[in-house]
Amino acid sequence: MLRLAAASLAGTAIEFYDFFVYGTAAALVLGPLFFPTFSPLAGTLAAFGTFGVGFVARPLGSVLFGHIGDRHGRRPVLVASLLLTGTATVAVGCVPTYDTIGTAAPVLLLVLRFLQGLGLGGEWGGAVLLTAEHAPAGRRGLWSSFPQIGPSLGFVLANGVMLALSAGLSDAQFAAWGWRVPFWAAGVLAAAGLWLRSSLVESPRFLEMREHARVPLAEVVRDHWRLVLLTAGGLAVGYAVFYAVTTWALAYGVEQLGVSRTVMLACIMSAVVVKGSLTPLVAVLGDRYGRRPLCLAGCAATALWMFPMIALLSTGEPLLMFLGFVVALIAFVTMFAVIAAYLPELYEPRVRCTGAAVGYNLGGVLGGALTPIVATAVANGERVPWGVAAYLTGIALLSLGCFALLPETLSMRRLAVAPAAD
């Protein structure tokens, strides 16, 4: 289990590194380089628009790779998704800017971002299911939390590279070539991840199944549509909070508050480190007290904290901003630490890879794709962007209602049996 969990963690860290490094670049540099004819605000919105395309692609990746996972096994998904995401990320670092090839530059950026999202849409379902379906029932939450640590590691790694380059290069050097280095590094990381995953064995639950779904998506839509919508709505707040902190707040702090890139990245990275460190602990609580109560608590805490977080961010003071970010991400991890065990338990085995991944990534469209764009537009010209706080609070209340309608799964002792959620 330790070897399997470590390989899943490493793979998700690498894939989320690829995904996050684009978000940081969009917040800091892609607007002027690829949308120079726009105003600064419009350029940032356009860059966040290409960022959001990755989230739109993720449910499509869930359908594509979920079909493979439910028909042919979880293990092939891990290899194919990592290869696709890594290749697309390296290619982003090679795209010429608008000044060199004109409108073809943002178009290429858009296509490659779509491919990144397609790969990541398959990654989560494969990594989580392979771990969850190997894990003993009483420790499923703990072992399944390892892939959930991957996003934190990927974020810290991506932003650590950006932070080092931002601090060590002049603004001209960073804009000319420095921002490309983290994308090129993705090739080395992808090769390492493929090597780690080459020795993984297939899920025992998949091998035990006597019959596999012929068209998993059709079964999910027909039999589990309500479950998909509720899980997507429940997870939306986690995505919204995470990307409000890690992407929108970064751009807002640098462009509107005049805080240096280095300070903003350091505050955000420190909060993400705390979040990642707490993930296994929260997962253990989920094994003991249930997944749903923690999800409800996380939503409620988020709803109560968004206005204080925005007030602390608006001060521009590093310690106060860090406090606002870290409490928000603790509320976030209260939900997302247990999701890797919760979602697979909600779906029957024959459509689990498709159903769990589609619900998870649809939540990303609702919360992750729109949040940086909406928050940037709402916050324009406001010293204290209370509209952003109201937007995030509204999403938290929506997610709270969705989780309230989902069943608890703690009493399940085997993943081979799914509750009658629908």
Side-chain angles (χ1 to χ4, degrees):
M1 278 308 309
L2 184 60
R3 182 170 59 86
L4 176 65
S8 295
L9 186 157
T12 52
I14 292 165
E15 291 228 29
F16 276 93
Y17 166 90
D18 296 349
F19 202 73
F20 289 145
V21 78
Y22 189 100
T24 305
L28 296 179
V29 74
L30 294 186
L33 293 178
F34 289 87
F35 305 95
T37 59
F38 292 13
S39 68
L41 173 63
T44 300
L45 285 170
F48 281 152
T50 61
F51 175 74
V53 166
F55 286 97
V56 175
R58 283 173 64 170
L60 300 178
S62 300
V63 172
L64 172 63
F65 289 103
H67 183 90
I68 296 171
D70 285 324
R71 291 282 297 163
H72 306 290
R74 321 310 193 195
R75 185 176 176 274
V77 171
L78 298 184
V79 176
S81 62
L82 183 57
L83 185 61
L84 175 60
T85 306
T87 302
T89 304
V90 173
V92 169
C94 300
V95 176
T97 63
Y98 184 93
D99 289 341
T100 304
I101 60 173
T103 55
V107 171
L108 285 173
L109 206 62
L110 198 68
V111 170
L112 292 172
R113 180 59 175 173
F114 181 87
L115 294 177
Q116 269 191 326
L118 204 66
L120 191 62
E123 161 65 25
W124 185 87
V128 163
L129 287 188
L130 200 62
T131 307
E133 290 181 339
H134 273 91
R139 288 290 180 266
R140 186 175 297 133
L142 173 62
W143 288 114
S144 299
S145 72
F146 276 72
Q148 294 298 81
I149 302 171
S152 297
L153 290 179
F155 180 86
V156 171
L157 183 59
N159 285 275
V161 175
M162 283 287 191
L163 179 60
L165 291 167
S166 178
L169 300 175
S170 66
D171 288 345
Q173 290 172 323
F174 185 79
W177 57 268
W179 68 272
R180 297 181 183 274
V181 174
F183 291 93
W184 295 336
V188 178
L189 294 175
L194 291 171
W195 177 77
L196 283 171
R197 288 182 165 181
S198 63
S199 61
L200 295 180
V201 296
E202 186 53 76
S203 158
R205 294 290 178 265
F206 179 82
L207 296 175
E208 287 172 4
M209 282 190 284
R210 297 180 179 179
E211 182 181 354
H212 301 103
R214 295 186 62 185
V215 186
L217 179 63
E219 291 194 27
V220 168
V221 172
R222 184 185 68 236
D223 301 329
H224 302 290
W225 61 269
R226 180 175 176 270
L227 185 57
V228 170
L229 294 179
L230 287 176
T231 53
L235 295 173
V237 65
Y239 283 102
V241 169
F242 187 83
Y243 288 100
V245 169
T246 61
T247 302
W248 168 75
L250 177 60
Y252 178 80
V254 173
E255 296 173 6
Q256 301 294 324
L257 301 180
V259 182
S260 74
R261 286 196 302 258
T262 304
V263 170
M264 288 302 302
L265 284 171
C267 289
I268 293 169
M269 287 172 59
S270 299
V272 172
V273 168
V274 174
K275 183 214 49 133
S277 301
L278 291 176
T279 300
L281 174 62
V282 177
V284 170
L285 295 177
D287 279 329
R288 182 163 186 175
Y289 300 110
R291 331 291 189 205
R292 182 170 169 269
L294 291 179
C295 292
L296 293 171
C299 289
T302 300
L304 293 172
W305 186 248
M306 290 302 94
F307 278 91
M309 185 192 79
I310 292 299
L312 293 170
L313 168 64
S314 300
T315 66
E317 294 294 329
L319 288 178
L320 294 179
M321 290 192 296
F322 167 75
L323 176 62
F325 297 155
V326 76
V327 175
L329 292 184
I330 289 172
F332 160 86
V333 82
T334 303
M335 297 172 275
F336 271 58
V338 299
I339 284 299
Y342 192 28
L343 291 193
E345 290 170 346
L346 290 170
Y347 291 87
E348 59 180 303
R350 59 187 283 117
V351 296
R352 183 172 288 146
C353 196
T354 300
V358 168
Y360 185 85
N361 288 297
L362 277 178
V365 176
L366 296 174
L370 296 178
T371 294
I373 299 171
V374 172
T376 300
V378 169
N380 183 35
E382 292 189 23
R383 175 64 188 179
V384 183
W386 297 121
V388 177
Y391 170 75
L392 295 172
T393 301
I395 294 179
L397 295 175
L398 169 67
S399 294
L400 183 67
C402 290
F403 278 124
L405 295 173
L406 286 171
E408 177 54 63
T409 61
L410 184 62
S411 60
M412 294 175 55
R413 303 310 299 170
R414 286 178 57 83
L415 266 174
V417 181
D422 295 320

